[in-house]
Amino acid sequence: MSDLRRRHMLSLGAAHGLVGVAGAVPAWASTAAGTVGAAAGADPWWVWDDEIDGIMASVLRNGQVPAVNAAIRTWVNNNDPLPAGLPPALSTWLGKVNGLPSWADRSKLRLAADFNRRKDTYLFMLYGLGSGIMSTVIPREAKSVYWSAGGADMKDRAAKTFTFGYDLSELTAYEPSGQFLVTSNKTRLVHAAVRHLLPQSARWRAVADEQNGIPISNGDILVTFHSLGTYVHRKLVDWRVPMTAAEEEAFLHMWQVAIHMLGVRDEFIPKSWAEAEAQSGRVLTPIMAPSTEGRELAKDLLGLTAQIDLGVTRGFLNEFVRYALSHEVGDWLNLPRDYAAAALIRTGWPAYIAFREGLLPVMPVGFYTFDQFIRAIAMLFLNKGSSGTTTLITIPTGNRPGA
């Protein structure tokens, strides 16, 4: 795995979980003491991204999307100047948001990047076969993704959105030579475009329950965060992956900055893992459920993964999804059982972790199977589906054909 560890970690979960989430919306409850920001009292499901939403609606109405996509094509690194040729309002807005928040701690961000590098073995599996598939049983997310333009071509969507997770987890993510600040701003533009476009889809409106009929609220992005950062942290603890308190705090801080960069108000961002767990229990756990769109997306995503040479059976892949999430989720997605693979995973994966962490002196049975499995998935993610360098993030001009 050493060759992969040098190339860092890509999050399929982030790749697949960046657009509107949640089903029936629970009541919001939070306090200023439990969040990054000082204010409290607003409801994140009634908060969107008003300024850029208005700007992108104008860009779409005026037919300026092709020109904007051309302008941002070569805007890649954090230290790149803002692209020329943008509509003045968009250029002014990017000038205001293209930087870290004042409360960002660069030392924590660097520690988080190093933590990602050292624990990429487990993060590949959790983001990919945990968070990525979890997104398909979050009804709002599944429906929004399915009926948007990207839902019609999941391979292309995955290749484009892999960029977010990869750039977030790179060693230089928040450094001038990194790419995450630019990637997050481009993603924020896409979200604003989708908020304008998706309500125009009769098929989406027929199944949607979003407030005001608008997807991707602050609450929705927070649910996505919990299906990614909070879920992954919890599983690392459950799997007894060694972490220092400083590493756990840094990993949270990385995600705090990331969701701020996506337009979430600071007042809503959890300040601790305890607050994140409490928030997740209110807003994510109660709304997970199957949907027609989610089953189709899961089939597509698992099909993409199965296309590469995993060195294991499809039954093994299905059972790892069940192991990472639950049998209930596996049943929702109609994943066939493979009891032999289930037994190997149940006993072999904990031993695999223990051996890799130096806690088990003898290589366990099945080590090679797990190692090959991770290598294959890792290379798919590191190549961003199809591109080993920079995969273009482009603003859509429509929804899924026929939507």
Side-chain angles (χ1 to χ4, degrees), residues 23 43 49 63 72 75 126-127 129 152 169 175 231-232 235 374 378:
D43 185 332
D49 207 352
I72 66 175
W75 182 41
L126 286 172
Y127 282 131
L129 297 182
S169 300
E175 303 296 330
Y231 161 77
V232 168
K235 295 301 288 187
I374 293 170

Side-chain angles (χ1 to χ4, degrees), residues 4-249:
L4 299 180
R5 297 170 81 90
R6 285 192 297 267
R7 298 188 62 186
H8 318 306
M9 188 277 299
L10 167 70
S11 162
L12 177 63
H16 291 150
L18 297 178
V19 176
V21 292
V25 179
W28 174 254
S30 187
T31 64
T35 54
V36 169
D43 185 332
W45 279 281
W46 287 92
V47 174
W48 289 271
D49 207 352
D50 294 343
E51 185 176 2
I52 189 56
D53 287 353
I55 292 170
M56 291 308 298
S58 176
V59 167
L60 283 157
R61 285 194 300 266
N62 294 330
Q64 296 172 304
V65 170
V68 171
N69 280 334
I72 66 175
R73 184 182 182 90
T74 57
W75 182 41
V76 176
N77 295 325
N78 295 338
N79 59 359
D80 287 346
L82 290 178
L86 295 173
L90 178 56
S91 183
T92 298
W93 181 83
L94 285 172
K96 292 189 296 184
V97 303
N98 191 38
L100 291 172
S102 60
W103 46 264
D105 186 325
R106 287 190 179 275
S107 63
K108 290 182 181 179
L109 295 176
R110 289 168 182 149
L111 178 57
D114 184 62
F115 176 77
N116 289 333
R117 177 185 61 83
R118 289 182 287 105
K119 303 300 181 182
D120 60 5
T121 299
Y122 321 116
L123 297 175
F124 282 135
M125 307 304 287
L126 286 172
Y127 282 131
L129 297 182
S131 301
I133 303 304
M134 188 192 299
S135 70
T136 70
V137 293
I138 301 173
R140 278 196 182 174
E141 174 164 356
K143 293 171 184 178
S144 293
V145 168
Y146 186 85
W147 293 112
S148 66
D153 186 344
M154 288 303 294
K155 185 173 184 178
D156 180 68
R157 176 185 169 80
K160 289 178 179 178
T161 55
F162 280 171
T163 300
F164 185 92
Y166 181 86
D167 292 346
L168 172 61
S169 300
E170 268 278 27
L171 198 58
T172 59
Y174 292 100
E175 303 296 330
S177 61
Q179 299 180 1
F180 181 71
L181 298 184
V182 172
T183 295
S184 61
N185 282 324
K186 288 183 179 181
T187 302
R188 200 165 167 183
L189 299 184
V190 172
H191 283 180
V194 170
R195 290 189 195 99
H196 181 72
L197 292 168
L198 205 51
Q200 300 174 31
S201 164
R203 302 293 295 274
W204 178 78
R205 291 198 310 271
V207 297
D209 65 354
E210 272 80 348
Q211 275 71 6
N212 265 6
I214 304 172
I216 322 177
S217 69
N218 268 205
D220 298 330
I221 297 174
L222 284 167
V223 173
T224 295
F225 156 66
H226 292 305
S227 74
L228 290 159
T230 306
Y231 161 77
V232 168
H233 174 259
R234 184 189 314 128
K235 295 301 288 187
L236 291 174
V237 172
D238 290 346
W239 288 353
R240 299 181 181 180
V241 175
M243 298 180 288
T244 67
E247 288 170 340
E248 292 185 72
E249 183 178 357

Side-chain angles (χ1 to χ4, degrees), residues 125-392:
M125 307 304 287
L126 286 172
Y127 282 131
L129 297 182
S131 301
I133 303 304
M134 188 192 299
S135 70
T136 70
V137 293
I138 301 173
R140 278 196 182 174
E141 174 164 356
K143 293 171 184 178
S144 293
V145 168
Y146 186 85
W147 293 112
S148 66
D153 186 344
M154 288 303 294
K155 185 173 184 178
D156 180 68
R157 176 185 169 80
K160 289 178 179 178
T161 55
F162 280 171
T163 300
F164 185 92
Y166 181 86
D167 292 346
L168 172 61
S169 300
E170 268 278 27
L171 198 58
T172 59
Y174 292 100
E175 303 296 330
S177 61
Q179 299 180 1
F180 181 71
L181 298 184
V182 172
T183 295
S184 61
N185 282 324
K186 288 183 179 181
T187 302
R188 200 165 167 183
L189 299 184
V190 172
H191 283 180
V194 170
R195 290 189 195 99
H196 181 72
L197 292 168
L198 205 51
Q200 300 174 31
S201 164
R203 302 293 295 274
W204 178 78
R205 291 198 310 271
V207 297
D209 65 354
E210 272 80 348
Q211 275 71 6
N212 265 6
I214 304 172
I216 322 177
S217 69
N218 268 205
D220 298 330
I221 297 174
L222 284 167
V223 173
T224 295
F225 156 66
H226 292 305
S227 74
L228 290 159
T230 306
Y231 161 77
V232 168
H233 174 259
R234 184 189 314 128
K235 295 301 288 187
L236 291 174
V237 172
D238 290 346
W239 288 353
R240 299 181 181 180
V241 175
M243 298 180 288
T244 67
E247 288 170 340
E248 292 185 72
E249 183 178 357
F251 187 66
L252 174 63
H253 191 65
M254 176 194 76
W255 275 107
Q256 290 171 328
V257 175
I259 56 180
H260 167 94
M261 293 300 298
L262 288 180
V264 174
R265 291 185 186 177
D266 291 350
E267 67 194 80
F268 302 137
I269 300 175
K271 191 176 181 180
S272 66
W273 281 122
E275 170 66 14
E277 284 289 351
Q279 195 180 93
S280 180
R282 293 192 304 270
V283 304
L284 170 61
T285 306
I287 55 85
M288 292 174 62
S291 67
T292 299
E293 292 87 352
R295 288 191 181 100
E296 286 298 312
L297 292 176
K299 181 180 177 181
D300 288 346
L301 296 178
L302 289 171
L304 288 176
T305 306
Q307 287 177 16
I308 61 176
D309 182 12
L310 298 173
V312 299
T313 65
R314 178 61 181 267
F316 185 96
L317 176 62
N318 291 343
E319 289 296 340
F320 205 98
V321 170
R322 287 176 174 271
Y323 181 76
L325 294 175
S326 70
H327 288 305
E328 182 177 34
V329 170
D331 291 343
W332 285 345
L333 298 177
N334 299 324
L335 300 182
R337 297 302 314 269
D338 183 329
Y339 293 101
L344 173 61
I345 293 166
R346 187 171 60 252
T347 59
W349 183 248
Y352 176 84
I353 292 175
F355 181 74
R356 289 197 62 89
E357 296 295 330
L359 305 175
L360 188 68
V362 180
M363 181 183 295
V365 175
F367 179 89
Y368 179 76
T369 299
F370 288 110
D371 215 41
Q372 288 298 104
F373 187 46
I374 293 170
R375 282 175 180 269
I377 291 177
M379 290 311 300
L380 174 67
F381 298 170
L382 290 168
N383 287 333
K384 303 182 186 181
S386 62
S387 170
T389 54
T390 298
T391 303
L392 295 177

